[in-house]
Amino acid sequence: MGPGPSDVHPRILEALGRPTIGHLDPDFVAMMDEIKTLLKYAFQTDNELTLPVSAPGSAGMEACFVNLLEPGDKAVVCVNGVFGNRMVENVTRCGATAVRVDQEWGKPVDPDAVSAALEANPDAKVLAFVHAETSTGARSDAETLCNLAQRHGCLSIVDTVTSLGGIPLYVDRWKADAVYSGTQKCLSCTPGLSPVTFSDAAVAAIKARKHPVQSWFLDMNLILGYWGEGAKRAYHHTAPINALYALHESLVMLQEEGLENAWQRHATMHRALAAGLQSMGIEFVVAEAARLPQLNSVYIPEGIDDAQVRQYLLSKHNLEIGAGLGDFAGKVWRIGLMGYSARRENIELLIRALSDAMREQGRSVDTDAALSAVSAALAP
Ligand SMILES: *Cc1c(COP(=O)(O)O)cnc(C)c1O
């Protein structure tokens, strides 16, 4: 129950162990086409250029930046946590200029501040932001930010690593341009792949580049020779065959559950967890309206030793929760309810285990009252 990787469903683990076939085997190519179709559903897009990059979420991030930005370009980057900072680093390494819009950690990106930055930088080519900041648990208003980008003639780059499959995400309806995600958060798959999708406008910008993409491996023009439509598929790199079996299985499971049902399950489980934690006197970092159901940042109660609790949970209850990052180190726990981890039994385990860990440190906790609050929140 940390900030990812989430629990991997047994069906997905089973898929990983299937016999490895060739990366151009007709059966494998047919599965690649299914993965693209299933990813379009997960992203809610008709974008032709939708595929999994053969590397973790950070590679999807890099793929978006290196394909859209050229030396001398300018990008407005929203920073309200760790991953916004990484975006700035990506922009700079493309030889482009980053205009930062900083926001206090734990708050969503402020659309007014973004609007002012776009007004002040009419030459910006890209607006980049993180939809679901895993370092803080804040959800930003992706629809409004994508609209701002459109109005100012910018392409949007959107980090949906933690949002895909966990909260509403509509790539086409929101007109997002370059969107990347990961497999190990709300898709509950193993880490190591990064689904990406590019709009027609993003593809046009890639085609109109004056310089070749600086990264050979992440150049979408070359990747399309392997992942693109048509019979003439050619070797680009050896696809991570078994990891793709697993991704396929996780996407089939998402389709079986239904995207809206998956979003609903995360929201319901979050409400139950919040009821239990609040009954124990534990407070949330993020204001209710901007809280991510799949990543619950809570303040560590006064006088409780952070590392000791996390160590106790792991050794005594086989349960992992996340530590605070950056400014939040030692002050905040990050409790994940991602994908297959977002289940009632996990919430009850967390409440029992955390009560136990706090009692270890001399705190009196009413576990039964907390479990009743969880039940009440889940009552129909
Ligand atoms: C986890 C995460 C990433 C990075 O993904 P990796 O698979 O660890 O490379 C990027 N952005 C956000 C918001 C994340 O939560």
Side-chain angles (χ1 to χ4, degrees):
M1 300 180 80
S6 52
D7 283 348
V8 178
H9 192 282
R11 256 177 77 177
I12 297 171
L13 291 173
E14 183 275 327
L16 268 173
R18 289 177 199 157
T20 307
I21 58 176
H23 58 281
L24 289 170
D25 185 298
D27 284 342
F28 189 70
V29 168
M31 194 195 73
M32 290 165 73
D33 285 339
E34 282 183 27
I35 288 176
K36 290 202 287 184
T37 303
L38 290 162
L39 277 179
K40 287 182 191 173
Y41 168 67
F43 276 126
Q44 292 289 288
T45 182
D46 291 327
N47 287 341
E48 211 40 66
L49 183 44
T50 302
L51 52 83
V53 170
S54 300
S58 305
M61 177 188 285
E62 190 144 345
C64 290
F65 284 95
V66 298
N67 280 276
L68 293 194
L69 289 177
E70 298 191 56
D73 283 343
K74 191 188 261 191
V76 172
V77 183
C78 308
V79 183
N80 64 335
V82 165
F83 294 101
N85 269 321
R86 282 198 189 175
M87 286 177 148
V88 171
E89 188 67 25
N90 270 273
V91 170
T92 313
R93 289 181 187 219
C94 291
T97 307
V99 176
R100 296 174 66 107
V101 179
D102 278 280
Q103 181 72 39
E104 197 187 322
W105 280 37
K107 297 235 162 85
V109 171
D110 174 10
D112 292 336
V114 172
S115 184
L118 290 170
E119 300 269 329
N121 295 279
D123 54 338
K125 180 179 181 185
V126 157
L127 170 67
F129 65 92
V130 179
H131 184 203
E133 240 310 340
T134 323
S135 60
T136 70
R139 172 203 324 230
S140 289
D141 182 349
E143 182 172 21
T144 297
L145 295 172
C146 287
N147 272 327
L148 277 174
Q150 286 261 316
R151 255 193 278 147
H152 288 84
C154 282
L155 296 166
S156 48
I157 294 183
V158 189
D159 179 321
T160 66
V161 175
T162 282
S163 52
L164 185 69
I167 51 171
L169 167 64
Y170 297 99
V171 167
D172 282 4
R173 199 184 297 170
W174 296 348
K175 297 188 167 65
D177 290 302
V179 181
Y180 61 91
S181 192
T183 44
Q184 77 277 29
K185 311 252 164 119
C186 294
L187 295 182
S188 265
C189 188
T190 43
L193 293 172
S194 180
V196 295
T197 183
F198 292 86
S199 71
D200 290 346
V203 171
I206 297 172
K207 296 238 163 83
R209 288 178 68 97
K210 292 189 222 59
H211 311 82
V213 173
Q214 78 200 42
S215 164
W216 178 86
F217 185 64
L218 295 174
D219 183 341
M220 281 298 147
N221 294 301
L222 302 181
I223 290 177
L224 269 180
Y226 178 52
W227 272 96
E229 291 304 316
K232 283 207 305 270
R233 291 197 207 235
Y235 167 70
H236 173 260
H237 62 280
T238 309
I241 310 286
N242 294 61
L244 288 165
Y245 294 158
L247 175 60
H248 181 269
E249 193 67 22
S250 76
L251 292 170
V252 167
M253 289 179 66
L254 181 64
Q255 191 182 44
E256 284 172 2
E257 180 176 18
L259 195 51
E260 285 83 2
N261 293 334
W263 297 338
Q264 192 54 54
R265 175 168 51 84
H266 284 89
T268 304
M269 292 303 147
H270 160 73
R271 276 196 298 276
L273 175 69
L277 290 174
Q278 277 159 351
S279 144
M280 293 165 65
I282 294 175
E283 301 293 337
F284 274 74
V285 172
V286 178
E288 197 164 346
R291 263 177 220 165
L292 290 172
Q294 65 274 50
L295 197 286
N296 297 266
S297 283
V298 295
Y299 289 111
I300 299 169
E302 278 291 314
I304 293 286
D305 185 287
D306 170 27
Q308 210 177 310
V309 166
R310 285 184 294 106
Q311 175 57 37
Y312 186 87
L313 292 182
L314 197 55
S315 59
K316 288 280 186 311
H317 296 274
N318 200 22
L319 177 67
E320 182 195 16
I321 63 170
L325 290 178
D327 295 349
F328 285 165
K331 296 179 193 141
V332 163
W333 288 319
R334 292 179 302 146
I335 302 170
L337 283 175
M338 296 178 175
Y340 183 51
S341 299
R343 281 175 289 154
R344 178 179 190 148
E345 65 203 80
N346 277 1
I347 295 172
E348 292 174 345
L349 167 67
L350 183 277
I351 297 289
R352 285 205 187 87
L354 192 56
S355 304
D356 187 22
M358 284 168 64
R359 262 194 300 273
E360 259 298 292
Q361 295 188 27
R363 201 56 65 98
S364 75
V365 184
D366 189 343
T367 313
D368 288 339
L371 289 171
S372 300
V374 169
S375 290
L378 290 173

